[in-house]
Amino acid sequence: MSDIENIIKYLKDHGSVENRLGMAHYGINVQSAFGVKIPLLRVIAKEYKKKHALALELWASGFHEARVLAGMIDDPMLVTDVQVEKWVADFNSWDLCDQCCMNLFRYLPFAAEKAIELSRRDEEFVKRAGFALMASLASGSKNRPDKYYTPFFDCIIEQSGDDRKMVKKAVNWALRQIGKRNSALCAKAIEISHQLIDTGNKTAIWIAKDAIKELEAKKF
């Protein structure tokens, strides 16, 4: 059998109804899921690192865990903007969105620009991807200057009134992760949070107060 056939068979054999129920409990779309846990996907991914063609095949299969795995094994140097657009259009669950951002999209040469672009889109999971990507970038390389992240604050302010669950949680995540990088960005994130509170918008206030609680307790 081919690699794609072997992997799909392995996923089917190692999935379970119990795991599917657990995934559904946490709000994961399990319509096309086998019920395979992330740690096992990481084990599989080690055998197929930077297999771009295989990643595309896995994504095309439509199976949930196969798509998560695709993001784990793809080669970011071969990923195009066209591919990113295709994949984000297929996002139908928060975990698939976040896994792709953390495992693949944050390593793209155009990641920062794409994060800003996606954050200003209307589709719920596409917009979430923009902020999940910002959060992933903020938790990554320690060598980037603060100015790399400051444009993200404008997006956070702009979209802080979006009350959709998948969006507001991602906006909050991005704000917290940027603020946790260092004391200067933390102070800026807290300042932005107070600006959000002053808007009087219920969603913006929730985003801000939750962020302030974590950021004010952060030690550097």
Side-chain angles (χ1 to χ4, degrees), residues 1-13 34 44 48 54 58 65-66 69 73:
M1 290 192 292
S2 64
D3 285 342
I4 181 69
E5 290 172 328
N6 278 323
I7 291 172
I8 297 301
K9 182 180 184 303
Y10 187 88
L11 294 175
K12 287 180 178 178
D13 291 345
F34 297 117
I44 301 170
Y48 300 99
L54 179 58
L58 287 167
E65 289 91 344
L69 184 59
I73 72 168

Side-chain angles (χ1 to χ4, degrees), residues 196-207:
L196 297 184
I197 291 172
D198 290 342
T199 67
N201 180 277
K202 182 179 178 180
T203 302
I205 291 171
W206 177 85
I207 290 169

